[in-house]
Amino acid sequence: MAIVIGILLAISFGVCIWLFQSRRHPAGLVPYPSSEQQERILVEHALKFLLEAEQDGNIASTEQLERRLGLSAGAGKQLEEALAERGLLDRAGGSGEPVLRLTPNGRDYARHVIRTHRLWEKYLADHTGLDESEWHIRADSLEHELTPEQTDRLAARLGHPTHDPHGDPVPSLLWKETASKGRPLESLEPGQGARILHIEDEPTHVFRRIAAKCLAPGMTVRLISRSEEGCLIETEGRREHLSREEAANVTVGDPLPKDQVSTGMVPLSCLAPGRKAVVRIVSRALRAPERRRFLDLGLVPGTQVTVELPAPSGDPVAYRIRGTLVALRRDQAAHVLVELLPEAA
Amino acid sequence: MKRLQWSTGRESSPLPLKEPEDLELPVLEEVDCDFTVALAGNPNVGKSTVFNLLTGLRQHTGNWPGKTVTRAEGTFRTERYRYRVVDLPGTYSLLANSADEEVARNFLLFGSPDVTVVVLDATSLERNLNLLLQILEITDRVVVVVNLMDEAKRKGIDLDIPGLESDLGVPVVPMAARRRQGLDRLIRVIENTATGKVSRRPRPLIELPERLEKPIRRAADDLQRLYPGLKQSRWIAMRLLGGDEQVLRALSVGDPLLSAVSAGTQQSAGGKPSPQASELDRLQRNIERLRYELGPDYEDLLVEAVYRAASRIAERRTVHSTRPRHEWDQSLDRILTSRLWGYPIMLLLLVIVFWLTISGANFPSSLLSGLLIDRVYPFLRAIMGSVGSPEWLSGILVDGVYLATAWVVSVMLPPMAIFFPLFSLLEDFGYLPRVAFNLDHLFRRVGAHGKQALTLVMGFGCNAAGVVATRIIESPRERLIAIITNNFSLCNGRWPAQILLASLFIGSLVPAYWAGLISALAVVGVALLGILLSFAVSWFLSRTMLRGEVSHFTLELPPFRPPNLWQTLYTSIIDRTVIVLWRAVVFAAPCGAVIWLIANVKAGDRPLAEWIIEALDPFGLALGLNGVILLAYIVAIPANEIVIPTILMLTTLTTGLGSPTGHGVLFEAESVGEFQRIFTAGGWTLLTAINVMLFSLIHNPCSTTIYSIYKETGSRKWTLVATLLPVLLGFLVTFMVARLWHWLAPPGF
């Protein structure tokens, strides 16, 4: 009898936990999409692929479509039929392989899907505590869940962002561009610096490695050296080594003039009590909710900071910022790059 | 060709995509007044003090429409005019990143107050100027109050007020609101500003980098062309380029709101027709293009520029004199957070607070129960008897409702009346944030915030108060963790039961001269177990249910200030003690009625209570408890204080022992021997006592706390989690202890 009760208790406990698993946040992959939903997902993935191909200036073929979406041999043709039926695809005839081209409607639809995807990523980045590595994969599933009206509402809620956390522009009614400009990181000469414009989110495992090195769009990096295995860069007072694969996924802007590439910065967390410094950069690797708090406190570039009081355990440390004593944890202070002021005589 | 089909998105969207609120012009109640005054400022600058000074008792609070942000409004009058004062939520800026900022911004922009009073903290001018400079972009009918001048003087900070006035171009009134200094001048200046007697010389204060200045100026010019009467075109342009949805919508709607704004600035657009749709369209396109070209850095650059301007002004107009006072603060801080002294001091203060509470509460408690239960109760019975009321009515009202409530009050009130003021004194002094500072590393490891240490200790007074206290934690995830785990702090109402059981059952195991110490240690052990559990559950929550919630850490260490003794006592008694007491009474009263009813209403030939106990017994015994205990806990959800009296009452009921006061009437045993007699008759063993002590620690929160949790989280889901998680855990723990016991100990123990 008692054993039965014990088992029942354990089961009910488990059920409760499962019931209340983060339901508020996008659950990610929809476990069992209906067949109608499955078709929609396929259609939308195909549209994205075709738009990408168009913008890259390539001509898409049925084979490539099948390969990219992981379809079997005949399925590609079926998909094209479905797309054409919906007025999304033009199959320009001609001898040999038909050329796949999107209709204007098709392009609009594709842009809608991309827009939804990027807005979801922005939401996940700014309004949740989820890890960077989870944004893309969850957005990939969520992009198929909204109508254009709902997407617009999402955009409104986020303040109509112009770019997603990877640096890609969010297409809108008036802005049709979906690709981000820029050049590969490795195109820089050693010693040159530039701003990171975009970090490619696929393949995911590469993105994760890049994110783990705390690199984010908006940061300034300086190329120190290049080699067969990869390259060495300097950013925000630290050096990182990137493999060729990783470097290939980082897009930067045009090289900046020397004086705009700041060097000689250290993370705030490295300073000893009593030192004064001026904030130069609040790293983009810091998540949005935390950046907003920093803005409230007045911790922005140009602010003078004094290191005043470490806690008994060493973390957090209290800093005097604009007349107020504020405690920051070590991992937060590491994202604030400062320039040391000379010690008072 | 098939029509383009948009399959409808999932109806139950994972994101709370509610309709963006219709832009509501805040509708103020129809009160006759000549001018409306908006009160704005950072949090914690004494804005409410100023508000109270102005309006006195003529104020009321409510909510802003469609939001959970509280709203306070009041009135005051001068010789000639009546004024309505609207207290806006405290915010650091107007960028509308939170509900508070949105409310403040909307009111200032669309509510068109006649005068805006902005309260600044004299000791932290630089940071406060951020909000003021943003407000000055919207309206120039501003009166600046520099509050906490007494604080500034204490810290050796001197401000050049006339210089500040000339920099800002609006009147500046120095005040020390806590001491009512500066009030008359403020009212005079408000009147002069409202009636237009003051000449305002607003000037552009914020210097923007070229990268922002050009697009903002373009957009502002375009706007001005379309809406000539618009005075805030520059600020609106700034917000449009920031993607501000509400302002954008106001623009696309074209008419009502922006015209209202133009009209509100009292420069009627005359007969100018509203802009054409095509012109609006072109404006929208231009703005969209500018936005994409500016990129995601826009907001950062804007805020930096505002802070730069704020720094410049603050630096120019502040004179620091290094007086020893400032260094005294720093030395004290160093001691309080040092490796050597920090923890011992904390521990010492904690012990002192608890000792004062426990020993100090004994006398008033017995006084109160002597009065309410020994005197008033028989008196009430006598009255009921003389009035000729039927037995059942006097039973429900007097034996049930009154007795339970009296019990709760006499047990709950004295400890809280001591604990909370002590706590508030420490808080006022400024010590408590240092505690959070010292302990943060412990809490961080389990995914919580250092301030949880404070709410945890508060929970030892009363869990409901602890839950309300979690407002000091701004980060949503950490706040939820603190709320859900607060129940594991052993609250005041549970101490008597723990002490009683420890001395009866555990103290009796050892020789008499050890008994006191051992039972005390047992109770402390249970309390420590509670703290350990709250860490464990925090860790669990942050890894599972709360993973992915927004989290950020900030901890401000305010300067030390001498606590205002009488004011602290007053506010802590009103705010914390009385309010919690009121809620407790509200819940305890019906509970008392229920207790009496189940003991006296018969189904068949036995009271309801007996039927329920019989049904619960198997489950109870499996947990090492029994049916009586389970029923007592169910019925006494409203208040932990009456669990033991209920158990006693039910035991005598079911064992036919006969209670001294009659059926279904709560009582307290007079002597140790009597307690033991009743418990033995009820079949209690050492295991029962231990499990009751454990269950008392790990069970659902009392109904007052549940209610508080619901009000603080606003979510049914989390309230359910906070209620069910502890009780399920409690079942699990008692079950395992019972199993272990039966396996290890010989029967008959």
Side-chain angles (χ1 to χ4, degrees):
Chain A
M1 173 62 177
I3 302 188
V4 172
I5 294 185
I7 296 181
L8 276 175
L9 273 178
I11 293 181
S12 54
F13 211 45
V15 165
C16 289
I17 295 178
W18 177 78
L19 260 183
F20 287 116
Q21 263 302 320
S22 321
R23 272 297 142 107
R24 188 164 95 88
H25 290 295
L29 307 168
V30 180
Y32 302 111
S34 65
S35 63
E36 190 186 301
Q37 182 74 352
Q38 277 180 359
E39 191 186 339
R40 175 178 170 175
I41 294 178
L42 267 182
V43 162
E44 293 182 354
H45 274 151
L47 287 169
K48 276 208 299 184
F49 167 70
L50 291 170
L51 187 66
E52 253 175 49
E54 234 178 65
Q55 292 187 326
D56 287 341
N58 298 331
I59 299 183
S61 72
T62 315
E63 246 176 30
Q64 289 177 325
L65 183 65
E66 283 171 356
R67 208 179 330 134
R68 176 61 180 270
L69 297 182
L71 299 173
S72 55
K77 280 265 181 290
Q78 273 187 318
L79 190 51
E80 288 166 25
E81 289 290 331
L83 287 172
E85 253 189 9
R86 291 188 157 121
L88 302 173
L89 190 62
D90 247 340
R91 299 158 86 199
S95 52
E97 277 288 309
V99 166
L100 304 174
R101 200 180 327 194
L102 289 172
T103 63
N105 271 350
R107 270 187 223 111
D108 278 343
Y109 195 164
R111 263 186 228 114
H112 158 74
V113 179
I114 294 179
R115 172 174 155 84
T116 312
H117 177 103
R118 292 180 182 170
L119 284 173
W120 273 120
E121 285 189 337
K122 185 89 174 132
Y123 170 74
L124 292 172
D126 285 1
H127 294 276
T128 71
L130 290 169
D131 212 38
E132 288 121 324
S133 46
E134 301 205 43
W135 300 340
H136 182 71
I137 199 166
R138 288 184 181 231
D140 232 6
S141 156
L142 288 163
E143 69 191 8
H144 309 294
E145 305 268 330
L146 301 185
T147 63
E149 292 76 43
Q150 289 175 321
T151 306
D152 284 338
R153 260 194 275 154
L154 180 56
R157 177 132 185 265
L158 296 173
H160 297 282
T162 53
H163 292 77
D164 77 356
H166 297 120
D168 293 317
V170 175
S172 73
L173 213 56
L174 304 164
W175 188 266
K176 311 270 189 181
E177 210 31 72
T178 54
S180 48
K181 312 181 189 71
R183 42 170 56 215
L185 174 62
E186 290 188 308
S187 70
L188 291 175
E189 291 299 320
Q192 278 187 327
R195 288 182 74 219
I196 299 182
L197 291 184
H198 167 75
I199 299 183
E200 189 55 49
D201 43 17
E202 275 175 346
T204 331
H205 66 276
V206 179
F207 176 73
R208 244 176 248 172
R209 291 207 306 260
I210 302 178
K213 298 182 180 163
C214 282
L215 294 175
M219 289 168 116
T220 314
V221 299
R222 197 167 70 93
L223 183 71
I224 300 181
S225 66
R226 251 192 331 230
S227 74
E228 273 307 305
E229 296 94 42
C231 57
L232 188 63
I233 59 168
E234 182 185 39
T235 181
E236 298 189 344
R238 58 194 158 95
R239 296 192 165 189
E240 303 285 352
H241 187 269
L242 293 176
S243 69
R244 299 218 68 185
E245 201 184 8
E246 291 160 13
N249 279 5
V250 176
T251 315
V252 300
D254 292 325
L256 297 166
K258 269 265 156 42
D259 59 346
Q260 279 193 31
V261 184
S262 24
T263 49
M265 293 182 298
V266 286
L268 183 58
S269 49
C270 292
L271 300 186
R275 297 307 304 268
K276 291 204 213 298
V278 178
V279 178
R280 287 283 166 237
I281 292 182
V282 176
S283 169
R284 292 243 149 227
L286 203 60
R287 298 289 293 272
E290 220 133 42
R291 296 185 113 240
R292 273 182 239 134
R293 289 298 304 164
F294 280 15
L295 290 185
D296 283 347
L297 292 170
L299 192 58
V300 295
T303 309
Q304 199 180 84
V305 178
T306 314
V307 184
E308 225 167 89
L309 203 62
S313 59
D315 188 3
V317 177
Y319 302 95
R320 194 158 290 273
I321 302 171
R322 295 185 187 265
T324 325
L325 203 53
V326 179
L328 296 178
R329 289 177 176 165
R330 194 150 282 240
D331 55 5
Q332 290 175 302
H335 286 298
V336 179
L337 283 311
V338 302
E339 195 182 295
L340 272 174
L341 289 174
E343 294 203 58
Chain B
M1 106 188 143
K2 251 173 37 186
R3 223 165 47 94
L4 188 64
Q5 290 273 356
W6 296 108
S7 42
T8 50
R10 276 211 297 196
E11 278 328 308
S12 60
S13 171
L15 171 68
L17 284 179
K18 43 188 206 350
E19 286 295 336
E21 290 99 24
D22 283 318
L23 253 178
E24 307 179 47
L25 279 184
V27 172
L28 302 178
E29 287 174 15
E30 284 315 306
V31 169
D32 248 341
C33 73
D34 302 297
F35 297 111
T36 304
V37 176
L39 196 56
N42 283 15
N44 297 326
V45 294
K47 194 162 56 72
S48 338
T49 320
V50 174
F51 180 67
N52 289 332
L53 277 184
L54 283 173
T55 60
L57 288 172
R58 290 179 301 279
Q59 51 167 276
H60 62 271
T61 51
N63 277 86
W64 289 88
K67 298 218 195 302
T68 53
V69 181
T70 46
R71 161 175 169 172
E73 237 180 77
T75 58
F76 72 95
R77 49 182 314 154
T78 60
E79 265 176 29
R80 271 180 294 159
Y81 300 107
R82 280 159 310 187
Y83 297 85
R84 169 195 287 138
V85 184
V86 180
D87 188 14
L88 299 177
T91 56
Y92 290 102
S93 88
L94 292 182
L95 296 177
N97 277 319
S98 67
D100 282 359
E101 289 176 10
E102 211 174 302
V103 161
R105 189 275 309 272
N106 281 356
F107 187 76
L108 289 174
L109 194 55
F110 300 118
S112 312
D114 299 294
V115 180
T116 304
V117 174
V118 184
V119 182
L120 310 179
D121 179 350
T123 62
S124 144
L125 201 63
E126 219 181 307
R127 198 168 82 172
N128 282 237
L129 281 175
N130 175 33
L131 176 65
L132 174 62
L133 291 179
Q134 291 186 33
I135 293 182
L136 283 174
E137 293 276 329
I138 299 183
T139 165
D140 54 9
R141 299 176 71 120
V142 170
V143 172
V144 178
V145 168
V146 179
N147 196 18
L148 298 172
M149 290 295 289
D150 50 342
E151 277 284 311
K153 191 154 146 218
R154 225 170 42 84
K155 297 173 73 173
I157 301 177
D158 216 351
L159 296 178
D160 175 11
I161 301 284
L164 205 51
E165 248 187 35
S166 100
D167 276 346
L168 297 172
V170 289
V172 177
V173 178
M175 279 184 78
R178 278 201 307 184
R179 298 164 199 251
R180 303 186 68 98
Q181 287 170 4
L183 180 61
D184 296 323
R185 183 161 159 197
L186 174 63
I187 296 184
R188 245 197 342 263
V189 173
I190 292 180
E191 180 135 302
N192 289 341
T193 309
T195 53
K197 288 215 195 94
V198 164
S199 60
R200 298 165 322 260
R201 297 152 290 136
R203 12 179 0 175
L205 291 164
I206 306 178
E207 223 176 79
L208 295 172
E210 193 59 25
R211 195 170 150 215
L212 295 186
E213 180 63 38
K214 270 185 29 201
I216 289 180
R217 201 171 326 142
R218 284 264 313 267
D221 288 342
D222 285 345
L223 260 179
Q224 197 75 65
R225 250 199 318 272
L226 289 183
Y227 296 96
L230 198 60
K231 290 196 78 178
Q232 308 99 323
S233 51
R234 189 173 156 85
W235 196 88
I236 293 190
M238 277 197 235
R239 294 318 303 147
L240 284 177
L241 288 174
D244 189 315
E245 163 65 4
Q246 298 210 305
V247 179
L248 267 171
R249 227 158 16 103
L251 189 66
S252 66
V253 164
D255 258 322
L257 266 349
L258 277 183
S259 305
V261 175
S262 315
T265 59
Q266 291 172 0
Q267 266 192 24
S268 148
K272 174 109 175 50
S274 43
Q276 300 277 7
S278 60
E279 292 178 299
L280 280 176
D281 200 49
R282 201 178 42 228
L283 178 61
Q284 277 185 299
R285 285 179 185 275
N286 283 344
I287 294 204
E288 186 93 339
R289 195 170 36 82
L290 288 170
R291 292 192 60 227
Y292 274 88
E293 281 167 8
L294 276 172
D297 282 341
Y298 173 73
E299 201 107 302
D300 280 4
L301 291 172
L302 199 59
V303 172
E304 279 170 48
V306 179
Y307 269 115
R308 258 201 309 273
S311 276
R312 229 186 26 239
I313 298 177
E315 227 172 311
R316 202 160 51 204
R317 301 300 172 190
T318 310
V319 174
H320 280 268
S321 53
T322 48
R323 295 222 333 236
R325 212 52 199 280
H326 191 48
E327 285 159 17
W328 184 85
D329 268 20
Q330 285 187 318
S331 329
L332 182 59
D333 247 332
R334 245 173 260 139
I335 298 177
L336 291 177
T337 60
S338 72
R339 298 196 93 136
L340 187 58
W341 294 111
Y343 292 121
I345 295 183
M346 266 181 353
L347 230 50
L348 185 65
L349 280 172
L350 199 67
V351 166
I352 293 181
V353 167
F354 278 124
W355 181 78
L356 279 176
T357 307
I358 297 184
S359 50
N362 269 333
F363 185 54
S365 250
S366 42
L367 264 186
L368 260 180
S369 60
L371 174 67
L372 291 176
I373 298 180
D374 296 336
R375 293 264 181 82
V376 178
Y377 170 63
F379 179 62
L380 282 177
R381 288 232 87 195
I383 292 192
M384 291 299 261
S386 66
V387 159
S389 92
E391 183 60 30
W392 60 267
L393 186 63
S394 58
I396 295 184
L397 287 182
V398 181
D399 295 331
V401 172
Y402 172 76
L403 202 55
T405 316
W407 216 287
V408 170
V409 169
S410 60
V411 174
M412 198 183 204
L413 187 57
M416 286 214 301
I418 302 180
F419 188 83
F420 288 145
L422 283 177
F423 213 67
S424 306
L425 277 176
L426 285 176
E427 187 180 24
D428 244 22
F429 177 58
Y431 176 63
L432 292 186
R434 270 83 184 169
V435 172
F437 184 64
N438 287 349
L439 294 176
D440 183 65
H441 70 284
L442 281 176
F443 284 88
R444 184 167 32 105
R445 274 205 227 136
V446 295
H449 193 296
K451 288 190 195 166
Q452 192 168 316
L454 304 174
T455 61
L456 191 142
V457 174
M458 191 70 145
F460 274 91
C462 170
N463 289 129
V467 164
V468 171
T470 58
R471 282 186 200 163
I472 56 177
I473 305 180
E474 301 104 349
S475 169
R477 190 183 82 165
E478 278 74 357
R479 182 148 180 242
L480 269 173
I481 293 181
I483 289 179
I484 297 178
T485 56
N486 194 272
N487 191 52
F488 296 114
S489 298
L490 201 62
C491 72
N492 266 332
R494 302 186 248 176
W495 292 358
Q498 297 278 341
I499 297 176
L500 176 71
L501 291 177
S503 43
L504 273 185
F505 286 87
I506 299 186
S508 58
L509 291 177
V510 297
Y513 49 83
W514 284 119
L517 182 64
I518 295 295
S519 15
L521 279 180
V523 177
V524 170
V526 172
L528 284 178
L529 178 65
I531 296 182
L532 266 167
L533 270 177
S534 82
F535 274 108
V537 175
S538 299
W539 180 87
F540 170 74
L541 287 173
S542 63
R543 290 300 159 96
T544 58
M545 287 183 233
L546 289 173
R547 199 171 74 91
E549 294 273 338
V550 171
S551 144
H552 50 76
F553 176 81
T554 35
L555 180 59
E556 224 179 281
L557 300 179
F560 294 109
R561 60 174 77 144
N564 198 330
L565 190 63
W566 296 116
Q567 193 155 350
T568 309
L569 286 179
Y570 177 74
T571 32
S572 72
I573 291 190
I574 295 293
D575 275 350
R576 290 181 173 152
T577 316
V578 167
I579 290 187
V580 177
L581 198 64
W582 170 248
R583 282 190 188 163
V585 164
V586 163
F587 286 107
C591 154
V594 167
I595 294 180
W596 188 89
L597 282 173
I598 57 165
N600 282 289
V601 168
K602 294 206 198 297
D605 58 342
R606 299 152 78 195
L608 270 179
E610 276 191 39
W611 290 107
I612 305 179
I613 292 173
E614 212 177 278
L616 289 174
D617 248 341
F619 183 54
L621 286 171
L623 295 181
L625 305 170
N626 63 37
V628 165
I629 298 173
L630 286 181
L631 178 58
Y633 268 105
I634 295 177
V635 159
I637 283 185
N640 284 295
E641 288 83 354
I642 42 182
V643 167
I644 291 284
T646 310
I647 290 181
L648 291 176
M649 183 271 285
L650 287 174
T651 311
T652 57
L653 188 71
T654 51
T655 56
L657 258 183
S659 91
T661 42
H663 258 208
V665 180
L666 299 175
F667 67 94
E668 189 90 339
E670 295 301 313
S671 69
V672 166
E674 198 179 328
F675 270 119
Q676 280 176 331
R677 192 170 57 90
I678 301 179
F679 282 134
T680 327
W684 281 50
T685 64
L686 179 57
L687 169 67
T688 321
I690 291 182
N691 271 4
V692 171
M693 286 174 77
L694 284 176
F695 193 66
S696 152
L697 175 71
I698 321 172
H699 74 289
N700 53 285
C702 70
S703 51
T704 316
T705 309
I706 297 180
Y707 178 65
S708 303
I709 294 178
Y710 181 61
K711 298 274 327 260
E712 291 300 311
T713 59
S715 148
R716 264 189 301 243
K717 164 183 160 185
W718 290 117
T719 311
L720 214 59
V721 171
T723 312
L724 289 182
L725 186 73
V727 72
L728 284 177
L729 191 61
F731 284 156
L732 207 66
V733 168
T734 49
F735 179 70
M736 292 199 317
V737 169
R739 287 295 103 217
L740 209 65
W741 186 274
H742 287 306
W743 185 58
L744 285 178
F749 195 138

